[in-house]
Amino acid sequence: MIQPKNPTKYIIFSVLLITIDQASKMLVHKYMEPGFSGQIALIGDWFKLHYVLNPGMAFGMELGHEYGKLFLTLFRLAAMGAIAWYLVNLARRGAASGLLWALAMILAGAVGNVIDSTFYGVLLGNAPYGSPTPWFHGQVIDMVFVDFWEGFVPEWVPVWGGQYYSTPIFNFADSCIFVGVCTILIFQSSFFRHTHEYEVEEEVGETEPQSDKATELEDRETELDKVKPLDNEAIKLLSDDVIEPIGETVKPRSDENSEPQE
């Protein structure tokens, strides 16, 4: 039987990931120079630490609108609340543990980048020039650079065609979101089958009282069926043994002391 789960450990896991994300960003901000001058090679020339500020979405994408950043931050806040509610709800419904861990990672990534967007414009003063307000316009700190391609995108590619790009630079929060989403996509059949089984058990549990009443009524009907009407043979036996003796005429007792009258 599928049992409900306590969502506390998944929330704690999210908090741990958020702490790692924010600590890594603060260390990069304090000890690294932005751009190529402060770049640190970790594995050869393809895996590096590269400090950049990202004013847009994950992996450096942006919304080309004056209030695009504000809309994006508000959307992230709404998504963060929805994911948190969904995680707690699924845990209480006994969802698969793998699904809950993956959602906890997605929640951590969303919260990590929301903190940057909401507060870094004020705390670190990194809001883009000309922003209406530093609140909700903070730039996300990215630092993980997997450098295996760079060049111009062909003209025929929509939106990005004709521009120079390299492989995206991302952060720990982006990694959490990416891994969580990929985990759900890969194992979705087993994750959501587990959830469906719990829903079926709930439905069965709700109908059990009605089925018990129906079973009780059937048992009573069976007992009543066993009590059959008396057939003619039984009636005859009863009449011979009981009814006839009761129906006999009781003769008066003769008084031994009395004399017959003449």
Side-chain angles (χ1 to χ4, degrees), residues 174-224:
D174 297 331
S175 302
C176 290
I177 295 173
F178 181 78
V179 174
V181 170
C182 288
T183 302
I184 293 174
L185 291 176
I186 293 171
F187 300 103
Q188 60 178 318
S189 58
S190 60
F191 287 168
F192 291 102
R193 182 177 66 247
H194 187 91
T195 305
H196 176 69
E197 289 174 357
Y198 182 79
E199 291 175 351
V200 170
E201 286 186 3
E202 275 190 328
E203 292 177 359
V204 172
E206 290 175 358
T207 57
E208 274 183 358
Q210 297 179 358
S211 61
D212 291 344
K213 289 181 180 179
T215 305
E216 185 180 351
L217 289 174
E218 290 178 0
D219 293 342
R220 288 181 180 179
E221 290 177 357
T222 304
E223 292 177 0
L224 290 175

Side-chain angles (χ1 to χ4, degrees), residues 42-102:
L42 297 179
I43 303 177
D45 292 330
W46 64 273
F47 188 69
K48 312 170 185 178
L49 288 180
H50 187 100
Y51 178 15
V52 294
L53 294 176
N54 172 15
M57 296 180 286
F59 302 109
M61 294 181 286
E62 298 183 40
L63 292 176
H65 190 277
E66 180 182 0
Y67 293 97
K69 179 67 174 179
L70 178 60
F71 295 149
L72 177 61
T73 302
L74 294 177
F75 172 78
R76 282 173 171 168
L77 286 170
M80 179 184 69
I83 295 169
W85 176 86
Y86 191 52
L87 171 61
V88 173
N89 184 263
L90 283 180
R92 290 174 176 171
R93 291 166 57 191
S97 296
L99 175 60
L100 299 175
W101 291 121

Side-chain angles (χ1 to χ4, degrees), residues 106-172:
I106 296 172
L107 176 62
V111 173
N113 285 333
V114 162
I115 292 173
D116 298 20
S117 300
T118 305
F119 302 109
Y120 279 13
V122 177
L123 298 179
L124 304 182
N126 68 2
Y129 177 77
S131 299
T133 171
W135 292 101
F136 302 105
H137 284 82
Q139 299 187 80
V140 177
I141 295 177
D142 290 335
M143 78 291 291
V144 182
F145 187 19
V146 183
D147 185 12
F148 61 86
W149 178 87
E150 60 180 331
F152 284 93
V153 179
E155 294 285 349
W156 52 267
V157 177
V159 182
W160 297 283
Q163 302 182 57
Y164 179 85
Y165 285 97
S166 66
T167 47
I169 302 174
F170 53 95
N171 56 40
F172 186 78

